[in-house]
Amino acid sequence: MEPFFEAKAFLRHKLQASGPHGVHSPFVFELITQVLNPGREFYIFEKIENIRKKLLADQRTIQVNDLGAGSRALKSDLRKVSRIAKNSLQPPSSARALFKMADHFKPASILELGTSLGITTAYLASTANVPVYTIEGSPEIVSISKEVFSDLKLDNIYSYTGAFKDKLPEVLSQLKQPDFVLMDGDHTYSSTIQYFDIIFPFLHENSIVVLDDIHWSSGMEKAWDEIRSLAEITLSLDFFHFGVLFFRKGRIKEHFKLHLP
């Protein structure tokens, strides 16, 4: 455990990060000012956020099987759904940003590591009727997420229950070439590197990989720095809560620390 690590990292990021006018890449400037523009609202946002409100009020207690780094706030395996929703779900700003990126780049397939209660999965699955393959370690949490998908009438989500290292080969054998990947699960250095190494051979030039909680700990920062330094990654964007990796050839390698609009 590293007390206050994330808070210190946030202050450092706030001082170093740029807004759109500090960015000299036309591609990144367009991404910030147009794609991620907070003024771009979609009808599905309200529907998903209404489901989030229900989860935040859900007093059911479930048994949670943590296969990863676990939760800093929730120590018991017996947890209320409302507490999980409060402490584990992507904030609306991040989930909407991921939706907007997926909507803009139009991936033919999406892979998510870490379903949680299914809110971010629902955002990704609502961009278009493309298959979303999502993996979650806890059967009880998967059960709740399926309720979310049913309430939103999303039938393009394929849920897998089990450890990432066990399920990834099975999912990747069906996906072949994932276009958009969200890694939001086991927040440890070794596991993040391990899962990325499993996924990496299946990626292609137009794939996009998002790593969540890249400043959650020194181990996650180390994993982020190592992965973004790979020669195949030509553009990396650090939005603090998550990082985005691009593999497009013919670009000069660039890295940006950015404020999320």
Side-chain angles (χ1 to χ4, degrees):
M1 184 63 68
E2 301 169 88
F4 309 115
F5 182 91
E6 193 173 22
K8 293 175 184 176
F10 177 75
L11 290 175
R12 187 168 62 247
H13 184 274
K14 190 172 182 179
L15 291 172
Q16 297 173 351
S18 300
H21 299 294
V23 172
H24 302 293
S25 163
F27 177 85
V28 178
F29 182 81
E30 179 187 3
L31 182 68
I32 298 172
T33 59
Q34 297 184 38
V35 178
L36 299 181
N37 188 324
R40 294 180 69 224
E41 291 287 326
F42 294 78
Y43 78 93
I44 195 64
F45 289 179
E46 184 177 1
K47 288 186 177 182
I48 296 176
E49 289 307 314
N50 284 337
I51 298 291
R52 185 196 297 268
K53 289 176 184 176
K54 290 181 181 180
L55 293 172
L56 287 167
D58 193 329
Q59 296 302 304
R60 284 179 292 175
T61 299
I62 61 174
Q63 181 86 29
V64 176
N65 178 27
D66 263 332
L67 298 180
S71 169
R72 286 176 176 163
L74 305 174
K75 301 304 179 184
S76 171
D77 290 343
L78 286 174
R79 302 174 189 173
K80 286 188 176 182
V81 173
S82 59
R83 293 290 307 281
I84 299 170
K86 180 181 178 180
N87 292 286
S88 301
L89 293 179
Q90 289 271 5
S93 58
S94 294
R96 291 176 181 184
L98 295 175
F99 170 97
K100 290 174 182 178
M101 281 193 288
D103 179 71
H104 176 73
F105 292 109
K106 302 192 183 311
S109 60
I110 296 174
L111 169 62
E112 179 187 45
L113 276 63
T115 316
S116 188
L117 298 176
I119 289 295
T120 303
T121 320
Y123 268 103
L124 293 172
S126 299
T127 59
N129 192 30
V130 300
V132 177
Y133 297 82
T134 183
I135 308 172
E136 170 60 47
S138 174
E140 293 79 6
I141 288 181
V142 170
S143 179
I144 301 292
S145 71
K146 288 183 177 179
E147 292 177 12
V148 169
F149 306 151
S150 177
D151 286 347
L152 291 167
K153 297 180 172 56
L154 294 169
D155 58 4
N156 56 322
I157 299 172
Y158 302 89
S159 295
Y160 293 79
T161 307
F164 295 158
K165 63 182 177 62
D166 297 329
K167 291 298 177 181
L168 261 175
E170 177 185 349
V171 174
L172 288 167
S173 69
Q174 298 183 51
L175 265 174
K176 306 299 183 188
Q177 287 191 317
D179 294 329
F180 191 100
V181 179
L182 171 59
M183 296 177 60
D184 182 14
D186 186 344
H187 295 94
T188 63
Y189 165 79
S190 58
S191 293
T192 300
I193 295 295
Q194 178 188 10
Y195 304 144
F196 183 83
D197 285 346
I198 294 173
I199 295 168
F200 184 71
F202 294 85
L203 301 174
H204 56 89
E205 181 181 353
N206 292 315
S207 291
I208 298 169
V209 175
V210 179
L211 268 64
D212 191 57
D213 284 333
I214 56 175
H215 298 289
W216 193 75
S217 66
S218 60
M220 285 301 295
E221 276 197 353
K222 182 181 178 184
W224 164 247
D225 288 338
E226 285 188 16
I227 291 171
R228 72 178 177 85
S229 297
L230 293 172
E232 292 85 355
I233 293 167
T234 54
L235 175 63
S236 54
L237 309 177
D238 178 349
F239 288 105
F240 183 73
H241 289 297
F242 61 87
V244 188
L245 304 170
F246 295 85
F247 301 77
R248 300 183 179 192
K249 297 176 182 178
R251 294 182 57 99
I252 297 173
K253 190 175 181 71
E254 292 181 291
H255 172 66
F256 295 93
K257 290 187 177 183
L258 301 166
H259 296 296
L260 189 65

